[in-house]
Amino acid sequence: MRSKFKWIFTLLVAFTMQFSFAQEKTVTGVVSDKAGPLPGANVVVKGTTRSAQADFDGKFSINAKVGEVLVVSFTGYNNANITVGAANNYNVTLSDGIKLDEVVVEGYRNTTKGTTVVAQTTVTAKTIENRPNASFIQTLQGQVAGLNITSGSGQPGSKPTVIIRGVGTLTASTDPLYVIDGIPTNGDNFRSINPSDIESATVLKDAAATAIYGNRGTNGVIIIKTKRGGTSDGKTKFRYTSNTGYTQLQNSKYSFADARELLTLERAYGVGRGNLNPATGAPFTDAEIAAYSINTDWVDYFFRTAKSTEQQFSVETSGKKLNSYTSVSYLDQEGILLSTGLKRFTFRNNLSGKSDDDKFSYSTTIGLGFTKNNEATNLGTGAINRNYVLGATLSAPYISPSEYTGSQEVLDLYNSDGTLLYTPLFLMDKLATYTNNTDEFRLQTAAEVSYELFKNVTARSRTSVELLETRFTQSEHPISFNALLFLNPGQEFGGFEDINNRRDFRFNQLWQLDYKKTFAEKHTINAVANAEYYFSQRNTNNVRQRGLNPATFVPGTGAGYLADINAHDFYGPQASAFKVKRSLISYFGVLDYDFDGRYGVVGTMRYDGTSRFLDGFNWGTFWSVAGRWNINKESFMKNNDLFQVLKLRVSYGSTGNERPAPGDEWQGLIPNPAIDTYSIPSALGANYNGQPYLGFSLGSNNLQWETTTQFDIGLDFEMFKNRLRGTFDYYNRNSTDIFRTRRVPPYTGDNFVLGNTEIDAVNRGYELTLAYDVVRNDNFKFTVRGNVNYNKAFVKDLPDGDEDQGLQFLSNYGLTYEWYAIPYAGVNPVNGNLLFQAADGTLTETPSIDTDRVRTGKSDLPVYQGAFGFDLDYKGFFANTNFTFAQKVWRYDYDLQGLYDPTSLGQFVVSDALLNAWTPTNTNTNVPSLNATNLGNQDDSDRFLKDASYVRLRYLQVGYKVPKKFLDKTFMTGLSFYVQGENLYTWTKWEGFDAESDRSADQAQYPTPKIYTFGVDIKF
């Protein structure tokens, strides 16, 4: 009987244990490190989709069964595995390191750092937030190997050029695809998004990562994820940050002649005020030059020390069933160039929730942004009456701002002088009489729902909408120098006002079915099937009013508009409008197999259809195959203390590029190069040989996307107890079917047509990213880090062999757009003319453009680029730096050429180096004679082709985080202060204001500024 009772009791205990293991319960706890709680730490039930996120106090709450394992992770720390037992509360302390179960965003699905097969880099909020950049893209500079970001303008909020792993085309768009919370968009309007709302930005680089985006993935993909609330029960958390600072122009190495030097040069050249003193009617004497007191610094006049301020406030509510993140922000940033600046207001609300049984999940996203932007116009042009930068860099210093007394008076000076000497006064008048403003409203909203249909099977739907409303206004007052200058005979009033309205609409719908199951404990399959529809449309309405009444005109109101009259056609409105649409429909899937965490194979296929091309050419298939080997998990590595992580990745696949022209996604649609187009002349009564006619443009009916195949092999490693962390990749990108205009017979009705060609654009390179913890203990952490990318860009299979394109050259296996110029050899000591090297090696003053140009082996695309810096944290004090560099990049400096041009004398300032110009008594010089007879030959030479390589102190931040023990009796849970600077110093041979540029040549452009900021960050 006793034996039978024991057997029954044992069976009952086993049954009870089995029942308890099968029941879910709520498990809570706190995640922290040695310094305190870790807000945002991830808690995942291993082998399931159940997850939670720690709140600001590090608290989490999650449903789990007894016996299941909780994987607790946080960026920069080693994972902790907690087996759920009888207890309901677990406090977890994480140690420093890098976790393999860190979530990796791959766009349509998430993986972990240990199981991902793709080449990707994630930049977290710690790097992005509180930086003094109106566009968050600029904060990614130097953060990712292979990501080349160049700021082409210092205009607040301007769009930088972003290139991932080299330029894979010759004429088409090089922009990557941007996806914000599942909403596909472009980088034109990031100025209306608050960077501090961004949780992370993940850069996808290889085919394994981008093939799932099909014909939009060739140029890489950047996934932006905004912040959300925590998923554990906790208090509502508030955060307030404030930044204030100033910006200023970077220094140049140009040596401008001052007023006395310029008068001396003009007298020697026999032109300008130096040759004709307005007071005496004779050339200036030495004594008069020495006594001349006006010496205006026009760079200092048109550029200023600008102010900026930013205020941000956010609220985060946490809950295992419902949570939210809400923020508002305001930015006011002046530009360093007069009249420019940006004001921005943003609002964001992200809501997430799930049902009590965790089967149904939902989330919504609402982002609002409103900006007022004043932009400089005519940058990079020779419009001396409109480009303020020309006024800064070309104006004669002996002209005084006091000489400006009004628009009519400036016109009188111009008419009496007959030269461009009064350029600064032209531009001073524009500052007083010209208005320019762009109002931009941006709405981004998305809703996502998912439901666990069956065990291991989840259905998901995501609907995304983006609306962008832009209103651009500019006006030129009727009483202004420019308006008066361009009056037609018989026209009483000039001036104009433009009002341009634009609406961009984007809609994206995704349907997804996700299956994930583990078999026999070691085999895991994840299959994801997707269907997606994308639609975008742009509408524009443009109106120009010609003729304004100076007595009643008020910009932007319609007041003062003059009506058209019978006597002439100088007044009245001109209007235009257009609408363009674009759509994509796609079917795609991912199959992921994992064996025991050691081996993994992932296959991706996408079938894309586009409205851009004609039937028969508008569907394409893109794919990738990738594998990994987690070597550190092999049995032969168990006793190895050197490597904590060692993973080999290999991938190969194809992507597409359907955008044949740079710019926004609608470029190249009007007219559509795939179809023959006919146009009616806009001029009434236009005719050819007395007959009315239609314009004709020949289309390429078989036009389709460029296709890029890419091979990648990479190694991820962590060594010395995670102190040394790194990634190495080799890639080979080969783009085929390159978009290019080609000549066609004239009998077709056209001379050129855009089509796909047999040209290949190739990028081969290496990427290396390293980080090393030099010191790592409870009170002191010092980490050095860096990344470098080597990229060789070339073309092959040119149909007509080598192509001469003026100063640039294309050849099979040669550099993409290699500089092709006559070698400049200095100054002829006999007569002061310019010398050049002929093809036979001899020196000549009269080189031949046909025979003497040579391939220089130089290009405006950098060969090496990267960054390095350190992070320091000592007892609350912290410092971070980032140095960026680009090497073997060459660009033409046309600003410098202008300063060395003696024909500018009498109108503009020149370099004081011209004081050392050749003369019969000064023959040992590198400056040609002011009267050199062959100056024009330098235009085809490399005289002003300059090394634009640089190393720049991109970012420096120093601050103090107040210890929590000092805040215990206050309302605050966190408090930190910091000062930071951007673009602080640049080491370069480039002489201009900014070595960094996205152009092959620079002239009168808006340089990026130095930025200094002080900030405070309060949490409560």
Side-chain angles (χ1 to χ4, degrees):
M1 177 66 70
R2 180 176 297 178
S3 175
K4 185 176 181 180
F5 176 78
K6 287 183 178 179
W7 181 85
I8 294 174
F9 180 76
T10 302
L11 184 63
L12 180 62
V13 171
F15 177 77
T16 303
M17 290 179 64
Q18 183 180 12
F19 180 78
S20 64
F21 269 81
Q23 298 300 306
E24 283 190 359
K25 62 179 181 178
T26 300
V27 178
T28 60
V30 176
V31 183
S32 60
D33 62 5
K34 294 179 180 179
L38 289 175
N42 293 312
V43 182
V44 179
V45 179
K46 189 174 183 179
T48 74
T49 59
R50 280 171 282 154
S51 64
Q53 190 176 61
D55 63 16
F56 276 121
D57 291 325
K59 296 179 180 179
F60 70 89
S61 176
I62 194 170
N63 290 338
K65 302 174 184 177
V66 174
E68 288 187 319
V69 176
L70 304 182
V71 180
V72 184
S73 58
F74 191 74
T75 303
Y77 294 84
N78 290 316
N79 296 342
N81 294 329
I82 306 297
T83 301
V84 178
N88 295 325
N89 186 270
Y90 297 88
N91 294 328
V92 185
T93 301
L94 299 183
S95 60
D96 290 342
I98 298 296
K99 63 182 184 299
L100 280 180
D101 285 340
E102 175 186 345
V103 174
V104 174
V105 179
E106 294 184 7
Y108 293 97
R109 71 188 194 113
N110 295 339
T111 59
T112 65
K113 190 172 182 179
T115 60
T116 185
V117 296
V118 308
Q120 59 79 36
T121 302
T122 297
V123 181
T124 64
K126 182 180 179 181
T127 300
I128 298 172
E129 62 187 13
N130 295 329
R131 291 278 293 272
N133 297 299
S135 173
F136 97 93
I137 290 294
Q138 293 169 329
T139 67
L140 301 184
Q141 286 179 313
Q143 302 296 328
V144 180
L147 177 65
N148 180 15
I149 299 178
T150 51
S151 298
S153 173
Q155 170 72 39
S158 63
K159 175 192 173 185
T161 296
V162 180
I163 297 174
I164 300 174
R165 289 188 168 180
V167 176
T169 185
L170 293 181
T171 60
S173 171
T174 60
D175 287 347
L177 174 67
Y178 298 91
V179 182
I180 305 175
D181 288 334
I183 306 172
T185 185
N186 59 48
D188 290 332
N189 301 296
F190 279 118
R191 58 178 171 262
S192 56
I193 295 177
N194 178 16
S196 292
D197 284 340
I198 296 174
E199 178 66 29
S200 65
T202 301
V203 181
L204 307 181
K205 297 184 282 187
D206 68 345
T210 60
I212 199 169
Y213 290 96
N215 66 8
R216 295 179 291 177
T218 281
N219 297 321
V221 182
I222 299 181
I223 308 294
I224 297 102
K225 179 183 176 183
T226 59
K227 295 177 180 178
R228 294 192 170 272
T231 55
S232 63
D233 291 327
K235 299 178 181 178
T236 299
K237 303 298 178 182
F238 303 90
R239 184 179 184 182
Y240 171 71
T241 59
S242 176
N243 293 283
T244 185
Y246 66 93
T247 58
Q248 61 182 202
L249 182 68
Q250 297 185 66
N251 297 324
S252 79
K253 298 177 183 177
Y254 295 148
S255 185
F256 298 100
D258 62 25
R260 295 170 183 172
E261 291 170 334
L262 185 59
L263 289 170
T264 301
L265 284 165
E266 289 181 347
R267 183 181 63 181
Y269 196 60
V271 297
R273 187 172 293 187
N275 192 53
L276 184 64
N277 187 338
T280 65
F284 268 82
T285 65
D286 289 342
E288 289 170 337
I289 291 175
Y292 201 89
S293 60
I294 297 172
N295 188 34
T296 306
D297 184 345
W298 288 108
V299 171
D300 187 62
Y301 182 89
F302 284 102
F303 287 97
R304 62 184 171 185
T305 298
K307 297 175 292 183
S308 67
T309 182
E310 184 173 20
Q311 313 298 323
Q312 302 178 57
F313 181 71
S314 64
V315 181
E316 179 181 331
T317 63
S318 300
K320 60 182 180 179
K321 301 302 179 185
L322 182 65
N323 62 79
S324 68
Y325 171 84
T326 305
S327 75
V328 293
S329 74
Y330 175 73
L331 169 71
D332 186 353
Q333 188 175 78
E334 293 180 341
I336 56 172
L337 187 63
L338 287 180
S339 82
T340 64
L342 174 74
K343 295 181 180 181
R344 178 183 68 206
F345 170 80
T346 69
F347 168 82
R348 177 168 294 276
N349 176 259
N350 292 342
L351 180 71
S352 302
K354 56 184 176 180
S355 61
D356 290 339
D357 60 3
D358 291 339
K359 288 189 174 183
F360 177 72
S361 298
Y362 60 92
S363 66
T364 60
T365 297
I366 298 177
L368 300 176
F370 178 73
T371 62
K372 295 181 71 69
N373 198 18
N374 300 105
E375 296 183 339
T377 62
N378 301 96
L379 295 172
T381 72
I384 50 85
N385 57 330
R386 299 189 185 278
N387 185 352
Y388 296 132
V389 179
L390 280 177
T393 59
L394 287 185
S395 295
Y398 55 64
I399 300 293
S400 170
S402 64
E403 294 185 51
Y404 175 76
T405 57
S407 302
Q408 183 62 55
E409 289 76 10
V410 172
L411 181 64
D412 294 341
L413 284 172
Y414 170 71
N415 288 331
S416 63
D417 180 77
T419 72
L420 303 179
L421 176 64
Y422 294 103
T423 287
L425 306 188
F426 304 163
L427 294 167
M428 288 178 65
D429 185 79
K430 182 186 175 185
L431 284 171
T433 60
Y434 172 82
T435 65
N436 172 310
N437 185 69
T438 301
D439 291 345
E440 181 180 278
F441 171 78
R442 181 172 186 151
L443 167 66
Q444 285 185 319
T445 181
E448 179 175 316
V449 294
S450 64
Y451 186 76
E452 187 178 345
L453 300 175
F454 314 103
K455 185 178 180 181
N456 305 317
V457 179
T458 301
R460 181 173 291 105
S461 173
R462 182 171 64 217
T463 304
S464 309
V465 173
E466 181 180 68
L467 177 66
L468 185 66
E469 296 271 3
T470 305
R471 177 182 171 89
F472 169 77
T473 60
Q474 67 169 343
S475 66
E476 186 173 87
H477 198 274
I479 301 180
S480 64
F481 168 75
N482 286 317
L484 296 172
L485 178 66
F486 294 109
L487 281 177
N488 294 292
Q491 182 178 357
E492 183 179 4
F493 298 113
F496 68 86
E497 181 167 67
D498 291 330
I499 300 179
N500 303 334
N501 292 295
R502 188 182 74 197
R503 173 182 291 176
D504 295 346
F505 175 79
R506 296 180 176 91
F507 172 84
N508 197 84
Q509 176 63 54
L510 172 71
W511 297 274
Q512 185 179 86
L513 200 62
D514 189 309
Y515 171 77
K516 186 173 184 179
K517 186 174 178 61
T518 300
F519 302 90
E521 297 184 354
K522 293 186 177 182
H523 304 272
T524 300
I525 292 178
N526 181 204
V528 184
N530 306 268
E532 187 174 36
Y533 172 71
Y534 175 79
F535 171 81
S536 66
Q537 178 172 302
R538 167 170 285 183
N539 297 75
T540 67
N541 297 280
N542 306 321
V543 177
R544 165 166 284 202
Q545 167 63 30
R546 301 166 302 150
L548 305 172
N549 186 337
T552 59
F553 173 64
V554 179
T557 66
Y561 282 13
L562 295 174
D564 193 11
I565 60 177
N566 294 329
H568 55 69
D569 194 35
F570 300 145
Y571 305 149
Q574 294 175 324
S576 65
F578 80 91
K579 179 169 70 174
V580 60
K581 299 180 180 180
R582 173 173 173 261
S583 60
L584 295 166
I585 188 166
S586 309
Y587 307 95
F588 55 102
V590 180
L591 183 62
D592 186 338
Y593 169 73
D594 171 78
F595 174 72
D596 197 28
R598 289 184 288 165
Y599 312 104
V601 179
V602 179
T604 301
M605 182 169 289
R606 180 166 179 137
Y607 187 52
D608 265 342
T610 176
S611 63
R612 187 183 291 270
F613 307 128
L614 302 185
D615 290 344
F617 302 95
N618 58 342
W619 286 92
T621 302
F622 307 94
W623 57 273
S624 71
V625 176
R628 61 173 168 82
W629 178 22
N630 295 74
I631 304 172
N632 61 289
K633 292 194 174 183
E634 294 290 350
S635 58
F636 60 79
M637 295 287 287
K638 285 185 178 179
N639 297 323
N640 170 69
D641 293 330
L642 180 62
F643 289 96
Q644 285 69 57
V645 174
L646 188 61
K647 182 175 69 173
L648 180 67
R649 294 176 283 102
V650 181
S651 68
Y652 183 78
S654 68
T655 52
N657 183 9
E658 67 155 8
R659 293 166 57 181
D664 57 60
E665 64 182 283
W666 297 282
Q667 294 297 316
L669 284 174
I670 298 182
N672 189 332
I675 61 176
D676 300 338
T677 56
Y678 299 85
S679 59
I680 300 174
S682 58
L684 197 62
N687 62 77
Y688 179 76
N689 286 338
Q691 299 294 322
Y693 69 95
L694 291 176
F696 173 73
S697 179
L698 182 66
S700 181
N701 304 138
N702 60 352
L703 190 69
Q704 59 183 359
W705 34 71
E706 296 177 340
T707 299
T708 297
T709 57
Q710 183 174 186
F711 170 78
D712 183 280
I713 182 168
L715 188 69
D716 303 329
F717 57 91
E718 296 178 21
M719 306 170 64
F720 312 124
K721 297 183 180 180
N722 304 105
R723 281 184 178 269
L724 177 63
R725 304 172 292 278
T727 297
F728 175 81
D729 278 272
Y730 165 78
Y731 60 86
N732 185 351
R733 295 181 63 212
N734 189 42
S735 300
T736 60
D737 300 323
I738 295 296
F739 295 128
R740 198 103 186 279
T741 55
R742 61 181 188 272
R743 188 176 293 277
V744 294
Y747 63 74
T748 62
D750 215 330
N751 293 317
F752 296 93
V753 64
L754 177 69
N756 301 104
T757 66
E758 55 267 51
I759 300 173
D760 288 3
V762 182
N763 289 272
R764 293 175 183 167
Y766 304 90
E767 297 169 350
L768 177 64
T769 301
L770 292 173
Y772 182 70
D773 296 332
V774 180
V775 180
R776 188 175 68 188
N777 57 49
D778 293 349
N779 294 320
F780 187 24
K781 185 173 181 179
F782 179 63
T783 301
V784 293
R785 49 180 164 70
N787 66 75
V788 63
N789 168 234
Y790 164 80
N791 186 77
K792 181 179 180 181
F794 61 92
V795 295
K796 62 180 183 177
D797 297 334
L798 292 168
D800 300 318
D802 295 347
E803 293 186 12
D804 178 356
Q805 300 185 339
L807 283 173
Q808 291 183 314
F809 191 81
L810 280 179
S811 64
N812 283 307
Y813 297 96
L815 292 176
T816 302
Y817 291 122
E818 181 179 7
W819 291 115
Y820 186 51
I822 300 169
Y824 174 68
V827 178
N828 189 336
V830 176
N831 58 15
N833 280 342
L834 288 72
L835 287 176
F836 305 89
Q837 182 175 301
D840 60 4
T842 62
L843 299 182
T844 179
E845 293 182 4
T846 57
S848 169
I849 190 174
D850 296 321
T851 60
D852 292 333
R853 284 177 300 162
V854 300
R855 294 169 56 180
T856 62
K858 302 170 182 176
S859 171
D860 61 326
L861 301 175
V863 177
Y864 298 95
Q865 59 183 345
F868 57 92
F870 68 81
D871 303 309
L872 182 149
D873 194 337
Y874 178 71
K875 294 185 177 181
F877 293 95
F878 57 89
N880 307 285
T881 66
N882 195 35
F883 294 80
T884 59
F885 63 86
Q887 298 296 309
K888 291 193 174 183
V889 52
W890 297 77
R891 297 188 290 112
Y892 270 89
D893 189 348
Y894 289 135
D895 286 323
L896 183 64
Q897 181 174 349
L899 291 174
Y900 273 76
D901 184 0
T903 64
S904 294
L905 289 167
Q907 301 185 91
F908 306 118
V909 71
V910 295
S911 171
D912 61 8
L914 295 193
L915 292 168
N916 190 37
W918 182 95
T919 65
T921 58
N922 181 37
T923 61
N924 185 22
T925 177
N926 61 351
V927 182
S929 168
L930 298 181
N931 298 294
T933 60
N934 64 342
L935 190 66
N937 289 334
Q938 71 179 4
D939 295 342
D940 299 310
S941 78
D942 63 0
R943 183 183 180 192
F944 294 102
L945 178 61
K946 299 299 181 179
D947 186 352
S949 304
Y950 67 87
V951 177
R952 170 170 288 176
L953 177 51
R954 173 77 59 188
Y955 177 65
L956 170 64
Q957 182 189 62
V958 178
Y960 180 67
K961 183 178 180 180
V962 178
K964 292 185 179 294
K965 63 181 180 181
F966 296 123
L967 304 175
D968 287 343
K969 295 184 180 181
T970 71
F971 70 96
M972 295 177 289
T973 58
L975 175 63
S976 60
F977 305 91
Y978 53 86
V979 291
Q980 57 191 359
E982 305 235 359
N983 304 322
L984 296 180
Y985 192 81
T986 303
W987 293 265
T988 183
K989 295 179 180 179
W990 184 260
E991 295 185 47
F993 290 98
D994 193 1
E996 179 187 316
S997 173
D998 55 0
R999 294 170 293 272
S1000 59
D1002 266 1
Q1003 182 177 29
Q1005 296 287 353
Y1006 193 160
T1008 57
K1010 294 180 181 180
I1011 306 175
Y1012 303 91
T1013 310
F1014 170 77
V1016 59
D1017 189 343
I1018 305 172
K1019 299 175 182 178
F1020 54 98

